[in-house]
Amino acid sequence: MRWVPLPDSEALAAVMFGSVLLAQVGGDKSLRGIMDGNINEKFVRSQTGRLEFVVEDEQGSQADFIPLFRVQDEQYSVYLDRSGHAAPYRRFTFAADGSAAYEEVTRQSPSP
């Protein structure tokens, strides 16, 4: 289990379990107090027999994580705000499907 920071940002990072990218599913819960030193303690494997994790942060908030390739119709987040100061303008981190990320990039691209 390890963090993979977004380029040029130590605050935003993805979570990898070996070579599998994990996604937080459900609402846009901001998790606090999960650091490099305690990531393996905080991500607890679920008892379902599938590759799933339940995370509880220092304030008792819980979130579920599954491999990104298993995300279907639920909201998800790949890049998490490790600083605990989630900003509402970071809409691209929470999307109903992957198309929202592409739409955001397209809008910000300069015209040829």
Side-chain angles (χ1 to χ4, degrees):
M1 190 74 64
R2 71 185 190 287
W3 291 108
V4 179
L6 185 66
D8 299 324
S9 175
E10 286 296 317
L12 294 176
V15 179
M16 299 286 293
F17 180 73
S19 61
V20 178
L21 177 61
L22 299 178
Q24 178 184 355
V25 292
D28 57 354
K29 296 176 186 171
S30 180
L31 300 172
R32 296 177 185 263
I34 301 173
M35 315 273 192
D36 292 332
N38 69 2
I39 191 170
N40 288 309
E41 298 166 17
K42 294 291 185 176
F43 278 74
V44 177
R45 189 95 181 248
S46 74
Q47 300 297 319
T48 63
R50 299 180 82 182
L51 186 58
E52 299 175 345
F53 296 89
V54 177
V55 177
E56 185 171 330
D57 74 359
E58 65 185 15
Q59 296 179 330
S61 293
Q62 288 189 339
D64 297 319
F65 285 79
I66 64 173
L68 181 62
F69 65 82
R70 284 197 8 232
V71 172
Q72 292 183 2
D73 296 325
E74 57 266 290
Q75 283 189 324
Y76 69 95
S77 176
V78 173
Y79 287 103
L80 307 175
D81 185 345
R82 297 194 312 163
S83 71
H85 305 293
Y89 65 85
R90 293 193 178 124
R91 292 178 295 139
F92 67 93
T93 60
F94 299 100
D97 60 43
S99 65
Y102 295 109
E103 290 169 10
E104 190 71 24
V105 171
T106 303
R107 278 188 228 121
Q108 294 179 0
S109 299
S111 301

